[in-house]
PDB file of all heavy atoms in Angstrom:
ATOM      1  N   ALA A   1       0.847  -1.194   0.000  1.00  0.00           N
ATOM      2  CA  ALA A   1       0.000   0.000   0.000  1.00  0.00           C
ATOM      3  C   ALA A   1       0.879   1.238   0.000  1.00  0.00           C
ATOM      4  O   ALA A   1       1.939   1.269   0.634  1.00  0.00           O
ATOM      5  CB  ALA A   1      -0.917   0.010   1.218  1.00  0.00           C
ATOM      6  N   MET A   2       0.426   2.247  -0.705  1.00  0.00           N
ATOM      7  CA  MET A   2       1.056   3.560  -0.651  1.00  0.00           C
ATOM      8  C   MET A   2       0.116   4.504   0.077  1.00  0.00           C
ATOM      9  O   MET A   2      -1.070   4.616  -0.281  1.00  0.00           O
ATOM     10  CB  MET A   2       1.355   4.097  -2.046  1.00  0.00           C
ATOM     11  CG  MET A   2       2.015   5.487  -2.023  1.00  0.00           C
ATOM     12  SD  MET A   2       2.359   6.182  -3.673  1.00  0.00           S
ATOM     13  CE  MET A   2       3.738   5.142  -4.176  1.00  0.00           C
ATOM     14  N   LEU A   3       0.620   5.159   1.111  1.00  0.00           N
ATOM     15  CA  LEU A   3      -0.162   6.128   1.868  1.00  0.00           C
ATOM     16  C   LEU A   3       0.261   7.530   1.464  1.00  0.00           C
ATOM     17  O   LEU A   3       1.424   7.907   1.619  1.00  0.00           O
ATOM     18  CB  LEU A   3       0.040   5.935   3.375  1.00  0.00           C
ATOM     19  CG  LEU A   3      -0.606   6.979   4.293  1.00  0.00           C
ATOM     20  CD1 LEU A   3      -2.125   6.982   4.135  1.00  0.00           C
ATOM     21  CD2 LEU A   3      -0.218   6.736   5.747  1.00  0.00           C
ATOM     22  N   LEU A   4      -0.701   8.305   0.971  1.00  0.00           N
ATOM     23  CA  LEU A   4      -0.467   9.685   0.581  1.00  0.00           C
ATOM     24  C   LEU A   4      -0.929  10.584   1.718  1.00  0.00           C
ATOM     25  O   LEU A   4      -2.100  10.556   2.102  1.00  0.00           O
ATOM     26  CB  LEU A   4      -1.222  10.030  -0.698  1.00  0.00           C
ATOM     27  CG  LEU A   4      -1.067   9.042  -1.865  1.00  0.00           C
ATOM     28  CD1 LEU A   4      -1.813   9.549  -3.088  1.00  0.00           C
ATOM     29  CD2 LEU A   4       0.400   8.788  -2.174  1.00  0.00           C
ATOM     30  N   VAL A   5      -0.023  11.378   2.257  1.00  0.00           N
ATOM     31  CA  VAL A   5      -0.312  12.213   3.417  1.00  0.00           C
ATOM     32  C   VAL A   5      -0.227  13.674   3.003  1.00  0.00           C
ATOM     33  O   VAL A   5       0.808  14.125   2.492  1.00  0.00           O
ATOM     34  CB  VAL A   5       0.679  11.942   4.569  1.00  0.00           C
ATOM     35  CG1 VAL A   5       0.391  12.862   5.745  1.00  0.00           C
ATOM     36  CG2 VAL A   5       0.609  10.482   4.994  1.00  0.00           C
ATOM     37  N   ASN A   6      -1.312  14.395   3.223  1.00  0.00           N
ATOM     38  CA  ASN A   6      -1.277  15.840   3.028  1.00  0.00           C
ATOM     39  C   ASN A   6      -0.868  16.486   4.351  1.00  0.00           C
ATOM     40  O   ASN A   6      -1.664  16.524   5.293  1.00  0.00           O
ATOM     41  CB  ASN A   6      -2.649  16.352   2.595  1.00  0.00           C
ATOM     42  CG  ASN A   6      -2.667  17.859   2.369  1.00  0.00           C
ATOM     43  OD1 ASN A   6      -1.669  18.548   2.591  1.00  0.00           O
ATOM     44  ND2 ASN A   6      -3.800  18.372   1.940  1.00  0.00           N
ATOM     45  N   PRO A   7       0.362  17.001   4.465  1.00  0.00           N
ATOM     46  CA  PRO A   7       0.820  17.543   5.751  1.00  0.00           C
ATOM     47  C   PRO A   7       0.074  18.811   6.161  1.00  0.00           C
ATOM     48  O   PRO A   7       0.152  19.222   7.317  1.00  0.00           O
ATOM     49  CB  PRO A   7       2.303  17.832   5.499  1.00  0.00           C
ATOM     50  CG  PRO A   7       2.422  18.008   4.028  1.00  0.00           C
ATOM     51  CD  PRO A   7       1.393  17.089   3.416  1.00  0.00           C
ATOM     52  N   LYS A   8      -0.673  19.410   5.212  1.00  0.00           N
ATOM     53  CA  LYS A   8      -1.440  20.614   5.527  1.00  0.00           C
ATOM     54  C   LYS A   8      -2.916  20.325   5.759  1.00  0.00           C
ATOM     55  O   LYS A   8      -3.734  21.243   5.798  1.00  0.00           O
ATOM     56  CB  LYS A   8      -1.288  21.631   4.396  1.00  0.00           C
ATOM     57  CG  LYS A   8       0.140  22.113   4.197  1.00  0.00           C
ATOM     58  CD  LYS A   8       0.235  23.146   3.086  1.00  0.00           C
ATOM     59  CE  LYS A   8       1.668  23.623   2.899  1.00  0.00           C
ATOM     60  NZ  LYS A   8       1.778  24.620   1.805  1.00  0.00           N
ATOM     61  N   ALA A   9      -3.267  19.045   5.900  1.00  0.00           N
ATOM     62  CA  ALA A   9      -4.669  18.673   6.133  1.00  0.00           C
ATOM     63  C   ALA A   9      -5.215  19.402   7.354  1.00  0.00           C
ATOM     64  O   ALA A   9      -4.528  19.562   8.371  1.00  0.00           O
ATOM     65  CB  ALA A   9      -4.789  17.166   6.311  1.00  0.00           C
ATOM     66  N   THR A  10      -6.467  19.821   7.248  1.00  0.00           N
ATOM     67  CA  THR A  10      -7.058  20.734   8.228  1.00  0.00           C
ATOM     68  C   THR A  10      -7.149  20.155   9.630  1.00  0.00           C
ATOM     69  O   THR A  10      -6.853  20.836  10.618  1.00  0.00           O
ATOM     70  CB  THR A  10      -8.473  21.158   7.765  1.00  0.00           C
ATOM     71  OG1 THR A  10      -8.372  21.703   6.444  1.00  0.00           O
ATOM     72  CG2 THR A  10      -9.063  22.200   8.692  1.00  0.00           C
ATOM     73  N   THR A  11      -7.545  18.886   9.759  1.00  0.00           N
ATOM     74  CA  THR A  11      -7.920  18.361  11.069  1.00  0.00           C
ATOM     75  C   THR A  11      -6.927  17.356  11.643  1.00  0.00           C
ATOM     76  O   THR A  11      -7.261  16.625  12.560  1.00  0.00           O
ATOM     77  CB  THR A  11      -9.313  17.702  11.001  1.00  0.00           C
ATOM     78  OG1 THR A  11      -9.291  16.662  10.000  1.00  0.00           O
ATOM     79  CG2 THR A  11     -10.375  18.724  10.636  1.00  0.00           C
ATOM     80  N   THR A  12      -5.711  17.308  11.111  1.00  0.00           N
ATOM     81  CA  THR A  12      -4.716  16.408  11.683  1.00  0.00           C
ATOM     82  C   THR A  12      -3.448  17.187  12.006  1.00  0.00           C
ATOM     83  O   THR A  12      -3.186  18.242  11.450  1.00  0.00           O
ATOM     84  CB  THR A  12      -4.361  15.265  10.706  1.00  0.00           C
ATOM     85  OG1 THR A  12      -3.854  15.824   9.488  1.00  0.00           O
ATOM     86  CG2 THR A  12      -5.582  14.413  10.401  1.00  0.00           C
ATOM     87  N   ASN A  13      -2.655  16.621  12.930  1.00  0.00           N
ATOM     88  CA  ASN A  13      -1.354  17.205  13.250  1.00  0.00           C
ATOM     89  C   ASN A  13      -0.294  16.110  13.148  1.00  0.00           C
ATOM     90  O   ASN A  13      -0.599  14.947  12.870  1.00  0.00           O
ATOM     91  CB  ASN A  13      -1.366  17.840  14.639  1.00  0.00           C
ATOM     92  CG  ASN A  13      -1.836  16.861  15.712  1.00  0.00           C
ATOM     93  OD1 ASN A  13      -1.468  15.679  15.701  1.00  0.00           O
ATOM     94  ND2 ASN A  13      -2.643  17.344  16.647  1.00  0.00           N
ATOM     95  N   GLY A  14       0.945  16.483  13.366  1.00  0.00           N
ATOM     96  CA  GLY A  14       2.042  15.539  13.207  1.00  0.00           C
ATOM     97  C   GLY A  14       1.919  14.315  14.093  1.00  0.00           C
ATOM     98  O   GLY A  14       2.174  13.193  13.658  1.00  0.00           O
ATOM     99  N   ARG A  15       1.505  14.520  15.348  1.00  0.00           N
ATOM    100  CA  ARG A  15       1.375  13.393  16.269  1.00  0.00           C
ATOM    101  C   ARG A  15       0.295  12.423  15.819  1.00  0.00           C
ATOM    102  O   ARG A  15       0.501  11.202  15.821  1.00  0.00           O
ATOM    103  CB  ARG A  15       1.068  13.915  17.671  1.00  0.00           C
ATOM    104  CG  ARG A  15       0.921  12.810  18.713  1.00  0.00           C
ATOM    105  CD  ARG A  15       0.702  13.388  20.100  1.00  0.00           C
ATOM    106  NE  ARG A  15       1.863  14.150  20.547  1.00  0.00           N
ATOM    107  CZ  ARG A  15       1.930  14.800  21.706  1.00  0.00           C
ATOM    108  NH1 ARG A  15       0.879  14.799  22.517  1.00  0.00           N
ATOM    109  NH2 ARG A  15       3.028  15.447  22.044  1.00  0.00           N
ATOM    110  N   THR A  16      -0.851  12.966  15.416  1.00  0.00           N
ATOM    111  CA  THR A  16      -1.941  12.108  14.945  1.00  0.00           C
ATOM    112  C   THR A  16      -1.514  11.332  13.709  1.00  0.00           C
ATOM    113  O   THR A  16      -1.783  10.127  13.585  1.00  0.00           O
ATOM    114  CB  THR A  16      -3.187  12.943  14.630  1.00  0.00           C
ATOM    115  OG1 THR A  16      -3.595  13.645  15.803  1.00  0.00           O
ATOM    116  CG2 THR A  16      -4.325  12.060  14.148  1.00  0.00           C
ATOM    117  N   ARG A  17      -0.846  12.016  12.782  1.00  0.00           N
ATOM    118  CA  ARG A  17      -0.399  11.335  11.567  1.00  0.00           C
ATOM    119  C   ARG A  17       0.563  10.198  11.888  1.00  0.00           C
ATOM    120  O   ARG A  17       0.476   9.113  11.303  1.00  0.00           O
ATOM    121  CB  ARG A  17       0.258  12.349  10.616  1.00  0.00           C
ATOM    122  CG  ARG A  17      -0.724  13.313   9.972  1.00  0.00           C
ATOM    123  CD  ARG A  17      -0.083  14.075   8.830  1.00  0.00           C
ATOM    124  NE  ARG A  17       0.930  15.013   9.288  1.00  0.00           N
ATOM    125  CZ  ARG A  17       0.681  16.276   9.614  1.00  0.00           C
ATOM    126  NH1 ARG A  17      -0.561  16.738   9.563  1.00  0.00           N
ATOM    127  NH2 ARG A  17       1.655  17.080  10.001  1.00  0.00           N
ATOM    128  N   ASP A  18       1.471  10.400  12.829  1.00  0.00           N
ATOM    129  CA  ASP A  18       2.417   9.345  13.194  1.00  0.00           C
ATOM    130  C   ASP A  18       1.689   8.123  13.756  1.00  0.00           C
ATOM    131  O   ASP A  18       2.037   6.978  13.434  1.00  0.00           O
ATOM    132  CB  ASP A  18       3.416   9.866  14.227  1.00  0.00           C
ATOM    133  CG  ASP A  18       4.405  10.855  13.625  1.00  0.00           C
ATOM    134  OD1 ASP A  18       4.516  10.893  12.384  1.00  0.00           O
ATOM    135  OD2 ASP A  18       5.047  11.597  14.395  1.00  0.00           O
ATOM    136  N   VAL A  19       0.688   8.353  14.591  1.00  0.00           N
ATOM    137  CA  VAL A  19      -0.087   7.243  15.166  1.00  0.00           C
ATOM    138  C   VAL A  19      -0.798   6.465  14.063  1.00  0.00           C
ATOM    139  O   VAL A  19      -0.784   5.223  14.036  1.00  0.00           O
ATOM    140  CB  VAL A  19      -1.090   7.769  16.201  1.00  0.00           C
ATOM    141  CG1 VAL A  19      -2.052   6.662  16.631  1.00  0.00           C
ATOM    142  CG2 VAL A  19      -0.360   8.327  17.421  1.00  0.00           C
ATOM    143  N   LEU A  20      -1.420   7.193  13.136  1.00  0.00           N
ATOM    144  CA  LEU A  20      -2.166   6.535  12.065  1.00  0.00           C
ATOM    145  C   LEU A  20      -1.226   5.761  11.144  1.00  0.00           C
ATOM    146  O   LEU A  20      -1.558   4.653  10.703  1.00  0.00           O
ATOM    147  CB  LEU A  20      -2.951   7.580  11.273  1.00  0.00           C
ATOM    148  CG  LEU A  20      -3.963   8.419  12.054  1.00  0.00           C
ATOM    149  CD1 LEU A  20      -4.755   9.322  11.119  1.00  0.00           C
ATOM    150  CD2 LEU A  20      -4.917   7.534  12.843  1.00  0.00           C
ATOM    151  N   ILE A  21      -0.071   6.330  10.861  1.00  0.00           N
ATOM    152  CA  ILE A  21       0.883   5.656   9.988  1.00  0.00           C
ATOM    153  C   ILE A  21       1.376   4.358  10.633  1.00  0.00           C
ATOM    154  O   ILE A  21       1.481   3.319   9.962  1.00  0.00           O
ATOM    155  CB  ILE A  21       2.060   6.595   9.659  1.00  0.00           C
ATOM    156  CG1 ILE A  21       1.592   7.709   8.721  1.00  0.00           C
ATOM    157  CG2 ILE A  21       3.218   5.823   9.030  1.00  0.00           C
ATOM    158  CD1 ILE A  21       2.600   8.817   8.541  1.00  0.00           C
ATOM    159  N   ARG A  22       1.669   4.397  11.936  1.00  0.00           N
ATOM    160  CA  ARG A  22       2.119   3.172  12.619  1.00  0.00           C
ATOM    161  C   ARG A  22       1.021   2.114  12.621  1.00  0.00           C
ATOM    162  O   ARG A  22       1.300   0.925  12.396  1.00  0.00           O
ATOM    163  CB  ARG A  22       2.540   3.505  14.046  1.00  0.00           C
ATOM    164  CG  ARG A  22       3.893   4.206  14.141  1.00  0.00           C
ATOM    165  CD  ARG A  22       4.461   4.121  15.550  1.00  0.00           C
ATOM    166  NE  ARG A  22       3.602   4.808  16.513  1.00  0.00           N
ATOM    167  CZ  ARG A  22       3.711   6.089  16.834  1.00  0.00           C
ATOM    168  NH1 ARG A  22       4.651   6.832  16.251  1.00  0.00           N
ATOM    169  NH2 ARG A  22       2.921   6.630  17.731  1.00  0.00           N
ATOM    170  N   ALA A  23      -0.215   2.523  12.869  1.00  0.00           N
ATOM    171  CA  ALA A  23      -1.321   1.564  12.905  1.00  0.00           C
ATOM    172  C   ALA A  23      -1.524   0.927  11.531  1.00  0.00           C
ATOM    173  O   ALA A  23      -1.700  -0.291  11.413  1.00  0.00           O
ATOM    174  CB  ALA A  23      -2.598   2.253  13.369  1.00  0.00           C
ATOM    175  N   PHE A  24      -1.482   1.739  10.506  1.00  0.00           N
ATOM    176  CA  PHE A  24      -1.692   1.214   9.160  1.00  0.00           C
ATOM    177  C   PHE A  24      -0.500   0.384   8.707  1.00  0.00           C
ATOM    178  O   PHE A  24      -0.661  -0.657   8.046  1.00  0.00           O
ATOM    179  CB  PHE A  24      -1.946   2.384   8.201  1.00  0.00           C
ATOM    180  CG  PHE A  24      -2.707   2.016   6.974  1.00  0.00           C
ATOM    181  CD1 PHE A  24      -4.020   1.583   7.051  1.00  0.00           C
ATOM    182  CD2 PHE A  24      -2.109   2.085   5.724  1.00  0.00           C
ATOM    183  CE1 PHE A  24      -4.726   1.245   5.920  1.00  0.00           C
ATOM    184  CE2 PHE A  24      -2.810   1.744   4.583  1.00  0.00           C
ATOM    185  CZ  PHE A  24      -4.119   1.322   4.673  1.00  0.00           C
ATOM    186  N   GLY A  25       0.697   0.829   9.069  1.00  0.00           N
ATOM    187  CA  GLY A  25       1.896   0.103   8.677  1.00  0.00           C
ATOM    188  C   GLY A  25       2.020  -1.258   9.315  1.00  0.00           C
ATOM    189  O   GLY A  25       2.730  -2.129   8.798  1.00  0.00           O
ATOM    190  N   ALA A  26       1.347  -1.461  10.443  1.00  0.00           N
ATOM    191  CA  ALA A  26       1.371  -2.775  11.089  1.00  0.00           C
ATOM    192  C   ALA A  26       0.538  -3.799  10.339  1.00  0.00           C
ATOM    193  O   ALA A  26       0.683  -5.010  10.564  1.00  0.00           O
ATOM    194  CB  ALA A  26       0.865  -2.656  12.531  1.00  0.00           C
TER     195      ALA A  26
END
């Protein structure tokens, strides 16, 4: 899978993105 992350997304921050990436990457 390729995950495309918009770092300027309105309702997420760096910490939330890291959590989601780890969960999905598992």
